Amino acid sequence: MPVPKPLPLPLPRDLVAAAEQEGRTGWLATLPATVARLARAWSLTVEPPFQPGGQTAWVAPARDRAGRDLVLKVAWVHPEALHEADGLRAWNGHGTVRLHAVEEMGDTIGLLLERCRHGTPLAELPERRQDVVVAGLLRQLWSAPVEGFGLRPLQALCDQWADEFQARVAAAPGLIDPGLAREGIALFRALPASADRRVPLATDLHAGNVLAAERQPWLVIDPKPYVGDPTYDPLQHLLNCEERLHADPSGLAGRMADLLGLDPVRLRRWLFARCVQESPDWPPLLGVARRISID
């Protein structure tokens, strides 16, 4: 069988910049041949990729022989997104795009996905409306079965990020108040184990990862699945609502807890811990953590 010729791919600037910064230029060089092979295997006509694109995946509109409107995603496999296909199988289109085909190739995964039409990002809506949509989607995701899909525990993610945080703080004394760092990261490690229920989690659900669709009003397009405490799942949305987060973090957490039927105290504790954990790359979050600690 002849080897498919590499497609003359446009490469989104964000993907190129991230690959160059992180030393993934070899992976980037193989991308055209990988896309060509998947297009042939799945009988696809592939259009130019979405721009500016993500940092770890080449994503483009495509059509198959039946004329279905699809999306081809060819991604570098990074730890947080390791089980994206497994999560999409577990959710089976309930709150997320549907998965039509998948192929794993070493450090690369190809996903053939449902396309969202008309595809308007949730981020274009006012934030308080985003709150309601995010809450509705999370409730759908949490109702899926936990067992049988190989999803990793949230504890593994939190321990990994806590280890990375502690290594950075140890290498840069004075970066963060030691007491705040100890309290925040100890809580970040402890909270997953104290949850009273375990559900499938998106872990990175925010308005930029939610698109308007026809089959459902809104669908999640880029989950990073784990299993664990549902109270963790609103955190990325809260962090992205920067103005409200800095103005009244406890009030914002309370609103989301109410929309989701969660314990507001537990959500504030998670938000405090996550703000501390993220603070080496996002220093203003230390102020948010301090506000939560005295509320």
Side-chain angles (χ1 to χ4, degrees), residues 13-113:
R13 58 182 181 272
D14 287 1
L15 180 62
V16 172
E20 290 175 347
Q21 181 179 354
E22 298 167 10
R24 290 188 279 111
T25 53
W27 176 83
L28 197 65
T30 67
L31 189 58
T34 302
V35 170
R37 190 176 65 76
L38 289 174
R40 176 173 177 168
W42 292 336
S43 302
L44 302 175
T45 300
V46 182
E47 300 176 21
F50 297 108
Q51 295 279 6
Q55 297 186 349
T56 59
W58 187 91
V59 187
R63 287 187 182 273
D64 64 6
R65 284 179 178 169
R68 290 187 300 176
D69 206 5
L70 302 166
V71 167
L72 175 61
K73 179 175 182 178
V74 182
W76 174 65
V77 179
H78 61 288
E80 285 79 21
L82 191 59
H83 291 285
E84 180 178 356
D86 298 312
L88 291 174
R89 290 189 187 100
W91 288 309
N92 194 28
H94 297 289
T96 69
V97 291
R98 286 188 171 127
L99 175 67
H100 293 290
V102 60
E103 184 173 337
E104 298 183 37
M105 304 153 279
D107 62 356
T108 304
I109 186 168
L111 302 166
L112 191 60
L113 304 169

XYZ file of all heavy atoms in Angstrom, residues 13-113:
772
model
N -0.386 29.143 14.784
C 0.769 29.802 15.412
C 0.947 29.398 16.867
O 2.077 29.264 17.342
C 0.646 31.321 15.287
C -0.601 31.934 15.895
C -0.638 33.444 15.667
N -1.817 34.070 16.252
C -2.972 34.201 15.610
N -3.102 33.728 14.372
N -4.006 34.783 16.200
N -0.146 29.200 17.597
C -0.015 28.802 19.003
C 0.625 27.422 19.125
O 1.435 27.176 20.023
C -1.388 28.794 19.692
C -1.908 30.196 19.956
O -1.222 31.165 19.583
O -3.004 30.319 20.536
N 0.268 26.510 18.226
C 0.831 25.169 18.241
C 2.325 25.202 17.934
O 3.134 24.547 18.597
C 0.095 24.286 17.230
C 0.559 22.837 17.100
C 0.382 22.090 18.411
C -0.208 22.137 15.987
N 2.701 25.984 16.935
C 4.113 26.102 16.567
C 4.916 26.707 17.709
O 5.989 26.211 18.076
C 4.260 26.946 15.286
C 5.730 27.238 15.006
C 3.627 26.223 14.100
N 4.411 27.790 18.286
C 5.141 28.461 19.370
C 5.344 27.533 20.565
O 6.435 27.467 21.142
C 4.393 29.725 19.796
N 4.290 26.795 20.939
C 4.398 25.895 22.086
C 5.355 24.744 21.795
O 6.155 24.357 22.651
C 3.017 25.353 22.449
N 5.286 24.199 20.579
C 6.170 23.090 20.224
C 7.634 23.527 20.237
O 8.508 22.789 20.698
C 5.792 22.538 18.850
N 7.911 24.718 19.740
C 9.283 25.223 19.745
C 9.768 25.475 21.164
O 10.903 25.140 21.521
C 9.377 26.493 18.903
C 9.203 26.223 17.406
C 9.181 27.499 16.580
O 9.060 28.597 17.190
O 9.264 27.403 15.338
N 8.910 26.044 21.990
C 9.291 26.352 23.366
C 9.536 25.085 24.178
O 10.429 25.043 25.031
C 8.210 27.213 24.022
C 8.529 27.611 25.460
C 7.442 28.484 26.060
O 6.500 28.884 25.393
N 7.571 28.797 27.335
N 8.744 24.041 23.928
C 8.795 22.821 24.738
C 9.621 21.705 24.106
O 9.643 20.584 24.604
C 7.372 22.332 24.998
C 6.531 23.329 25.790
C 5.051 22.997 25.787
O 4.682 21.886 25.333
O 4.256 23.845 26.232
N 10.302 21.993 22.993
C 11.148 20.983 22.374
C 10.396 19.887 21.655
O 10.874 18.742 21.603
N 9.243 20.203 21.073
C 8.444 19.202 20.366
C 8.484 19.419 18.856
O 7.550 19.080 18.140
C 6.993 19.238 20.857
C 6.817 18.722 22.261
C 5.363 18.586 22.629
N 4.761 19.852 23.030
C 3.840 20.509 22.335
N 3.403 20.038 21.184
N 3.343 21.651 22.778
N 9.575 19.989 18.357
C 9.653 20.270 16.922
C 9.697 18.984 16.097
O 9.231 18.953 14.953
C 10.870 21.147 16.602
O 12.041 20.535 17.158
C 10.712 22.536 17.202
N 10.270 17.915 16.664
C 10.266 16.632 15.963
C 8.851 16.115 15.773
O 8.492 15.627 14.694
N 8.048 16.220 16.830
C 6.635 15.818 16.727
C 5.914 16.670 15.688
O 5.148 16.165 14.869
C 5.960 15.966 18.089
C 4.500 15.666 18.077
C 3.910 14.442 18.160
C 3.430 16.617 17.935
N 2.535 14.561 18.094
C 2.216 15.886 17.955
C 3.378 18.005 17.804
C 0.971 16.503 17.835
C 2.135 18.624 17.694
C 0.945 17.871 17.708
N 6.193 17.970 15.695
C 5.545 18.877 14.755
C 5.900 18.510 13.314
O 5.050 18.586 12.419
C 5.978 20.320 15.057
C 5.141 21.449 14.475
C 3.747 21.457 15.064
C 5.820 22.794 14.727
N 7.138 18.083 13.084
C 7.573 17.729 11.732
C 6.835 16.509 11.191
O 6.654 16.365 9.973
C 9.075 17.476 11.722
N 6.403 15.608 12.075
C 5.688 14.402 11.633
C 4.198 14.647 11.435
O 3.492 13.778 10.899
C 5.857 13.265 12.649
O 5.190 13.611 13.885
C 7.332 12.987 12.925
N 3.713 15.794 11.849
C 2.275 16.060 11.850
C 1.645 15.971 10.454
O 0.585 15.337 10.302
C 2.015 17.425 12.490
C 0.572 17.810 12.775
C -0.108 16.796 13.682
C 0.531 19.195 13.429
N 2.226 16.565 9.412
C 1.577 16.463 8.094
C 1.371 15.027 7.628
O 0.301 14.696 7.094
C 2.548 17.230 7.176
C 3.224 18.207 8.085
C 3.396 17.468 9.385
N 2.362 14.161 7.829
C 2.204 12.767 7.412
C 1.142 12.063 8.250
O 0.378 11.231 7.738
C 3.544 12.043 7.523
N 1.073 12.381 9.542
C 0.069 11.760 10.413
C -1.334 12.159 9.995
O -2.248 11.319 9.912
C 0.315 12.158 11.874
O 1.638 11.761 12.259
C -0.695 11.495 12.792
N -1.520 13.448 9.717
C -2.843 13.916 9.280
C -3.230 13.263 7.950
O -4.374 12.820 7.766
C -2.853 15.458 9.159
C -4.132 15.935 8.479
C -2.705 16.103 10.528
N -2.269 13.156 7.030
C -2.563 12.531 5.738
C -2.981 11.080 5.903
O -3.913 10.606 5.248
C -1.334 12.636 4.832
N -2.296 10.355 6.786
C -2.628 8.948 6.986
C -4.010 8.777 7.598
O -4.796 7.915 7.186
C -1.572 8.285 7.869
C -1.714 6.773 7.928
C -0.605 6.143 8.724
N -0.651 6.533 10.118
C -1.528 6.044 11.005
N -2.457 5.189 10.617
N -1.516 6.438 12.258
N -4.341 9.612 8.597
C -5.659 9.517 9.216
C -6.756 9.928 8.239
O -7.831 9.320 8.222
C -5.700 10.395 10.468
C -4.872 9.892 11.653
C -4.870 10.934 12.777
C -5.395 8.562 12.181
N -6.501 10.950 7.429
C -7.490 11.374 6.439
C -7.795 10.241 5.467
O -8.956 10.010 5.092
C -6.989 12.604 5.692
N -6.760 9.513 5.079
C -6.973 8.387 4.184
C -7.689 7.244 4.897
O -8.639 6.653 4.362
C -5.632 7.909 3.641
C -5.747 6.673 2.777
C -4.441 6.337 2.119
N -4.541 5.104 1.357
C -3.635 4.676 0.496
N -2.536 5.394 0.300
N -3.794 3.547 -0.152
N -7.253 6.912 6.113
C -7.850 5.787 6.837
C -9.322 6.022 7.118
O -10.120 5.067 7.092
C -7.093 5.569 8.145
N -9.693 7.263 7.392
C -11.069 7.569 7.751
C -11.851 8.210 6.597
O -12.962 8.698 6.799
C -11.085 8.485 8.980
C -10.601 7.789 10.226
C -10.605 6.449 10.471
C -10.035 8.400 11.388
N -10.106 6.178 11.718
C -9.731 7.361 12.313
C -9.749 9.719 11.767
C -9.168 7.599 13.563
C -9.190 9.950 13.009
C -8.901 8.906 13.897
N -11.256 8.210 5.396
C -11.914 8.729 4.181
C -12.425 10.151 4.387
O -13.604 10.460 4.188
C -13.073 7.806 3.766
O -12.608 6.496 3.529
N -11.521 11.028 4.768
C -11.882 12.401 5.106
C -11.384 13.400 4.067
O -10.293 13.237 3.506
C -11.269 12.788 6.459
C -11.636 11.939 7.668
C -10.839 12.405 8.878
C -13.134 12.005 7.940
N -12.167 14.418 3.878
C -11.704 15.634 3.216
C -11.448 16.644 4.324
O -12.373 17.003 5.071
C -12.759 16.176 2.237
O -13.023 15.186 1.241
C -12.268 17.454 1.579
N -10.212 17.084 4.447
C -9.806 17.919 5.574
C -9.615 19.356 5.118
O -8.956 19.615 4.102
C -8.501 17.386 6.206
C -8.103 18.232 7.405
C -8.684 15.929 6.625
N -10.167 20.277 5.875
C -10.044 21.709 5.588
C -8.917 22.310 6.430
O -8.352 21.642 7.299
C -11.376 22.400 5.901
C -12.541 21.875 5.081
C -13.855 22.524 5.483
O -13.830 23.614 6.084
O -14.910 21.916 5.203
N -8.547 23.577 6.185
C -7.508 24.217 7.011
C -7.899 24.219 8.483
O -9.086 24.251 8.832
C -7.443 25.645 6.450
C -7.903 25.506 5.034
C -8.968 24.443 5.067
N -6.916 24.186 9.370
C -7.210 24.073 10.804
C -7.817 25.337 11.375
O -7.695 26.426 10.806
C -5.831 23.810 11.419
C -4.892 24.485 10.477
C -5.470 24.262 9.108
N -8.472 25.165 12.514
C -8.974 26.308 13.255
C -7.784 27.156 13.725
O -6.749 26.635 14.120
C -9.810 25.853 14.460
C -11.041 25.076 14.086
C -11.115 23.702 14.312
C -12.126 25.707 13.504
C -12.256 22.979 13.979
C -13.272 24.997 13.157
C -13.332 23.634 13.394
N -7.951 28.458 13.670
C -6.914 29.391 14.108
C -7.442 30.247 15.250
O -8.627 30.560 15.269
C -6.498 30.302 12.936
C -5.834 29.583 11.784
C -4.358 29.303 12.013
O -3.839 29.551 13.105
N -3.677 28.773 11.009
N -6.618 30.652 16.222
C -5.168 30.431 16.290
C -4.786 29.024 16.717
O -3.628 28.659 16.658
C -4.726 31.455 17.337
C -5.910 31.630 18.228
C -7.110 31.510 17.335
N -5.744 28.213 17.179
C -5.452 26.833 17.535
C -4.951 26.688 18.952
O -4.617 27.660 19.625
N -4.892 25.425 19.407
C -4.394 25.146 20.744
C -2.887 24.951 20.753
O -2.219 25.048 19.718
N -2.354 24.628 21.926
C -0.913 24.490 22.071
C -0.434 23.056 21.941
O 0.774 22.820 21.808
C -0.475 25.053 23.425
C -0.752 26.543 23.550
C -0.201 27.130 24.829
O 0.213 26.414 25.731
N -0.205 28.449 24.918
N -1.324 22.097 21.972
C -0.906 20.695 21.929
C -1.620 19.885 20.852
O -1.378 18.674 20.751
C -1.150 20.005 23.289
O -2.541 20.075 23.608
C -0.329 20.670 24.386
N -2.469 20.501 20.032
C -3.229 19.727 19.043
C -3.474 20.536 17.775
O -3.646 21.757 17.816
C -4.567 19.271 19.632
N -3.488 19.816 16.665
C -3.892 20.352 15.362
C -5.340 19.942 15.164
O -5.661 18.745 15.181
C -2.997 19.772 14.272
C -3.179 20.351 12.902
C -2.515 21.408 12.361
C -4.080 19.878 11.881
N -2.934 21.624 11.080
C -3.896 20.705 10.755
C -5.009 18.844 11.822
C -4.612 20.523 9.576
C -5.742 18.667 10.650
C -5.536 19.498 9.545
N -6.236 20.910 14.993
C -7.674 20.636 14.974
C -8.287 21.320 13.751
O -8.100 22.531 13.549
C -8.360 21.153 16.256
C -9.817 20.718 16.292
C -7.633 20.646 17.494
N -9.017 20.548 12.935
C -9.533 21.089 11.680
C -10.904 20.517 11.348
O -11.215 19.369 11.712
C -8.567 20.769 10.544
N -11.731 21.278 10.618
C -12.994 20.732 10.104
C -12.707 19.640 9.072
O -11.698 19.680 8.358
C -13.669 21.941 9.445
C -12.889 23.136 9.872
C -11.516 22.673 10.210
N -13.602 18.674 8.973
C -13.443 17.586 8.010
C -14.817 17.041 7.638
O -15.793 17.237 8.367
C -12.573 16.471 8.591
N -14.868 16.357 6.503
C -16.082 15.636 6.098
C -15.688 14.227 5.669
O -14.641 14.025 5.060
C -16.797 16.349 4.940
C -17.512 17.621 5.365
C -18.352 18.193 4.233
N -18.996 19.433 4.634
C -20.161 19.500 5.251
N -20.835 18.390 5.517
N -20.674 20.662 5.598
N -16.565 13.270 5.973
C -16.317 11.914 5.513
C -17.114 11.644 4.238
O -17.766 12.548 3.700
C -16.640 10.901 6.612
C -18.117 10.880 7.001
O -18.925 11.571 6.348
O -18.455 10.176 7.972
N -17.058 10.418 3.742
C -17.733 10.089 2.476
C -19.244 10.244 2.563
O -19.911 10.481 1.555
C -17.384 8.658 2.071
C -15.982 8.520 1.504
C -15.692 7.080 1.141
N -14.376 6.931 0.546
C -13.780 5.773 0.330
N -14.388 4.642 0.673
N -12.582 5.723 -0.226
N -19.776 10.092 3.767
C -21.221 10.254 3.948
C -21.626 11.714 4.052
O -22.815 12.025 4.170
C -21.674 9.503 5.198
N -20.653 12.624 4.048
C -20.948 14.047 4.134
C -21.122 14.564 5.539
O -21.566 15.696 5.729
N -20.775 13.746 6.540
C -20.914 14.202 7.926
C -19.931 15.331 8.221
O -18.769 15.291 7.800
C -20.680 13.050 8.900
C -21.745 11.996 8.916
C -21.513 10.992 10.028
N -20.224 10.310 9.894
C -19.748 9.449 10.779
N -20.446 9.161 11.872
N -18.574 8.858 10.575
N -20.418 16.297 8.960
C -19.627 17.448 9.368
C -18.874 17.076 10.644
O -19.485 16.895 11.705
C -20.582 18.622 9.624
C -19.920 19.966 9.437
O -18.754 20.004 9.016
O -20.588 20.979 9.713
N -17.550 16.937 10.574
C -16.762 16.390 11.661
C -15.584 17.297 12.000
O -15.376 18.331 11.358
C -16.236 14.991 11.267
C -17.306 13.958 10.899
C -16.658 12.764 10.207
C -18.086 13.526 12.128
N -14.838 16.893 12.997
C -13.598 17.576 13.371
C -12.513 16.523 13.518
O -12.713 15.502 14.186
C -13.766 18.357 14.695
C -12.405 18.786 15.241
C -14.656 19.578 14.481
N -11.368 16.763 12.882
C -10.196 15.906 13.052
C -9.245 16.594 14.028
O -8.834 17.728 13.810
C -9.490 15.675 11.719
C -8.174 14.882 11.787
C -8.403 13.485 12.348
C -7.513 14.821 10.415
N -8.902 15.885 15.083
C -7.985 16.405 16.098
C -6.793 15.462 16.182
O -6.958 14.268 16.451
C -8.689 16.496 17.460
C -7.810 16.996 18.598
C -8.641 17.154 19.877
C -7.829 17.686 21.038
N -8.656 17.874 22.254
N -5.608 16.008 15.940
C -4.373 15.232 16.057
C -3.556 15.891 17.154
O -3.095 17.029 17.002
C -3.603 15.188 14.735
C -2.348 14.326 14.884
C -4.491 14.642 13.616
N -3.376 15.194 18.264
C -2.847 15.822 19.471
C -1.595 15.121 19.968
O -1.446 13.899 19.845
C -3.902 15.815 20.577
N -0.704 15.921 20.518
C 0.408 15.392 21.295
C -0.158 14.939 22.640
O -0.919 15.660 23.285
C 1.462 16.470 21.492
C 2.584 16.069 22.398
C 3.498 15.093 22.169
C 2.898 16.642 23.678
N 4.379 15.016 23.225
C 4.037 15.954 24.170
C 2.357 17.664 24.451
C 4.620 16.255 25.396
C 2.934 17.962 25.666
C 4.056 17.263 26.126
N 0.197 13.735 23.045
C -0.367 13.164 24.262
C 0.393 13.712 25.467
O 1.541 13.334 25.708
C -0.296 11.626 24.238
C -0.859 11.059 25.537
C -1.072 11.078 23.050
N -0.248 14.615 26.208
C 0.344 15.144 27.429
C -0.418 14.583 28.629
O -1.555 14.121 28.497
C 0.375 16.673 27.431
C -0.969 17.311 27.342
N -1.728 17.315 26.192
C -1.699 17.993 28.270
C -2.860 17.963 26.409
N -2.866 18.378 27.653
N 0.208 14.597 29.808
C -0.351 13.845 30.938
C -1.792 14.185 31.286
O -2.606 13.276 31.520
C 0.600 14.193 32.091
C 1.901 14.483 31.421
C 1.544 15.146 30.126
N -2.156 15.483 31.343
C -3.503 15.827 31.793
C -4.586 15.322 30.843
O -5.705 15.048 31.257
C -3.632 17.345 31.986
C -2.946 17.878 33.223
C -1.447 18.030 33.032
O -1.006 18.107 31.860
O -0.703 18.061 34.028
N -4.253 15.208 29.545
C -5.259 14.819 28.548
C -5.118 13.365 28.109
O -5.652 12.969 27.075
C -5.158 15.738 27.332
N -4.437 12.559 28.901
C -4.101 11.200 28.497
C -5.330 10.359 28.169
O -5.291 9.516 27.278
C -3.299 10.532 29.624
C -2.634 9.196 29.312
C -1.655 9.338 28.155
C -1.928 8.663 30.546
N -6.437 10.574 28.865
C -7.619 9.719 28.701
C -8.813 10.482 28.113
O -9.958 10.177 28.447
C -7.996 9.097 30.047
C -6.998 8.084 30.518
N -6.911 6.823 29.969
C -6.029 8.152 31.455
C -5.941 6.154 30.557
N -5.385 6.937 31.466
N -8.523 11.424 27.215
C -9.615 12.177 26.598
C -10.602 11.249 25.894
O -11.821 11.379 26.055
C -9.068 13.209 25.614
C -10.147 14.032 24.925
C -9.600 15.091 23.989
O -8.367 15.252 23.917
O -10.413 15.774 23.334
N -10.098 10.312 25.103
C -10.994 9.408 24.369
C -11.815 8.551 25.324
O -13.012 8.317 25.096
C -10.183 8.526 23.423
N -11.195 8.085 26.415
C -11.933 7.269 27.385
C -13.058 8.069 28.032
O -14.166 7.552 28.243
C -10.977 6.751 28.461
C -9.893 5.860 27.885
O -10.231 4.954 27.103
O -8.717 6.078 28.205
N -12.778 9.324 28.360
C -13.814 10.154 28.938
C -14.957 10.389 27.960
O -16.140 10.328 28.334
N -14.617 10.664 26.694
C -15.664 10.886 25.693
C -16.515 9.629 25.501
O -17.727 9.719 25.272
C -15.039 11.329 24.373
C -14.404 12.724 24.386
C -13.688 12.996 23.074
C -15.452 13.804 24.664
N -15.887 8.462 25.605
C -16.682 7.219 25.538
C -17.632 7.121 26.735
O -18.787 6.718 26.599
C -15.761 5.999 25.515
C -14.971 5.811 24.226
C -14.276 4.460 24.234
N -13.379 4.306 23.104
C -12.054 4.463 23.164
N -11.485 4.780 24.322
N -11.318 4.297 22.095
N -17.137 7.464 27.913
C -17.973 7.387 29.112
C -19.160 8.343 29.007
O -20.288 7.981 29.369
C -17.138 7.705 30.348
N -18.926 9.550 28.522
C -20.013 10.541 28.434
C -20.931 10.286 27.248
O -22.104 10.673 27.287
C -19.419 11.944 28.390
C -18.859 12.362 29.714
C -19.504 12.306 30.914
C -17.550 12.862 29.992
N -18.670 12.756 31.919
C -17.465 13.106 31.387
C -16.430 13.144 29.212
C -16.325 13.607 31.997
C -15.285 13.641 29.823
C -15.241 13.865 31.202
N -20.408 9.680 26.174
C -21.234 9.234 25.052
C -22.141 10.353 24.506
O -23.321 10.133 24.220
C -22.071 8.015 25.466
C -22.684 7.304 24.273
O -22.142 7.341 23.169
N -23.834 6.691 24.479
N -21.584 11.537 24.413
C -22.337 12.640 23.837
C -23.239 13.383 24.788
O -23.896 14.343 24.389
N -23.306 12.980 26.051
C -24.149 13.665 27.026
C -23.343 14.809 27.663
O -22.640 14.628 28.643
C -24.642 12.692 28.099
C -25.505 11.607 27.551
N -26.789 11.831 27.095
C -25.256 10.287 27.345
C -27.300 10.693 26.663
N -26.393 9.747 26.799
N -23.447 15.971 27.048
C -22.713 17.143 27.524
C -21.408 17.384 26.801
O -20.823 18.458 26.917
N -20.932 16.401 26.044
C -19.691 16.552 25.287
C -19.939 16.219 23.818
O -20.952 15.616 23.456
C -18.595 15.596 25.788
O -18.959 14.247 25.464
C -18.370 15.735 27.288
N -18.961 16.597 22.979
C -19.005 16.139 21.589
C -18.878 14.620 21.552
O -18.284 14.012 22.444
C -17.881 16.785 20.751
C -18.125 18.263 20.573
C -16.507 16.525 21.355
N -19.429 14.009 20.514
C -19.336 12.562 20.348
C -18.001 12.186 19.710
O -17.466 12.909 18.871
C -20.478 12.055 19.482
C -21.813 12.049 20.226
C -22.885 11.356 19.408
N -24.099 11.150 20.195
C -25.306 11.523 19.823
N -25.490 12.131 18.662
N -26.351 11.308 20.604
N -17.500 11.035 20.108
C -16.280 10.470 19.549
C -16.671 9.438 18.500
O -17.354 8.458 18.807
C -15.452 9.817 20.656
C -14.188 9.075 20.222
C -13.157 10.053 19.680
C -13.620 8.281 21.396
N -16.223 9.634 17.248
C -16.552 8.704 16.167
C -15.443 7.701 15.890
O -15.725 6.581 15.440
C -16.868 9.483 14.882
C -18.114 10.305 14.972
N -19.377 9.762 15.030
C -18.290 11.649 15.029
C -20.283 10.722 15.106
N -19.646 11.880 15.117
N -14.193 8.085 16.104
C -13.076 7.168 15.869
C -11.866 7.694 16.630
O -11.764 8.885 16.918
C -12.757 7.056 14.376
N -10.950 6.776 16.942
C -9.730 7.157 17.654
C -8.611 6.232 17.224
O -8.831 5.039 16.959
C -9.936 7.113 19.187
C -10.328 5.725 19.656
C -8.697 7.594 19.912
N -7.393 6.758 17.145
C -6.199 5.950 16.895
C -5.052 6.535 17.704
O -4.767 7.739 17.617
C -5.834 5.914 15.418
C -4.646 4.995 15.152
C -4.353 4.795 13.681
O -5.271 4.983 12.857
O -3.198 4.450 13.350
N -4.396 5.682 18.473
C -3.254 6.086 19.273
C -1.969 5.647 18.585
O -1.854 4.514 18.119
C -3.349 5.482 20.675
C -4.581 5.958 21.443
C -4.641 5.419 22.859
O -3.566 5.303 23.479
O -5.751 5.123 23.323
N -0.980 6.558 18.540
C 0.274 6.321 17.822
C 1.426 6.863 18.664
O 1.907 7.979 18.427
C 0.243 7.041 16.467
C -0.931 6.667 15.574
S -1.393 7.992 14.425
C -2.396 9.029 15.503
N 1.857 6.109 19.656
C 2.968 6.567 20.490
C 2.592 7.830 21.252
O 1.677 7.818 22.077
N 3.296 8.925 20.943
C 3.025 10.180 21.641
C 1.976 11.026 20.938
O 1.830 12.218 21.219
C 4.319 10.985 21.817
C 4.952 11.387 20.485
O 4.434 10.973 19.421
O 5.969 12.102 20.509
N 1.219 10.418 20.020
C 0.201 11.128 19.247
C -1.110 10.369 19.311
O -1.128 9.138 19.345
C 0.639 11.265 17.775
O 1.900 11.919 17.719
C -0.379 12.063 16.967
N -2.206 11.105 19.331
C -3.524 10.482 19.257
C -4.356 11.224 18.219
O -4.312 12.463 18.130
C -4.234 10.477 20.632
C -5.541 9.696 20.561
C -4.468 11.893 21.149
C -6.159 9.403 21.919
N -5.064 10.469 17.402
C -5.994 11.049 16.442
C -7.420 10.794 16.892
O -7.775 9.664 17.249
N -8.228 11.849 16.903
C -9.618 11.755 17.329
C -10.508 12.304 16.214
O -10.240 13.396 15.678
C -9.856 12.566 18.597
C -9.018 12.223 19.823
C -9.125 13.318 20.866
C -9.455 10.893 20.405
N -11.542 11.571 15.859
C -12.541 12.055 14.917
C -13.796 12.375 15.715
O -14.410 11.487 16.314
C -12.831 11.005 13.849
C -13.667 11.469 12.660
C -12.978 12.606 11.908
C -13.952 10.295 11.717
N -14.164 13.649 15.736
C -15.168 14.160 16.664
C -16.351 14.782 15.937
O -16.237 15.246 14.798
C -14.540 15.227 17.567
C -13.300 14.812 18.358
C -12.640 16.034 18.984
C -13.663 13.788 19.424
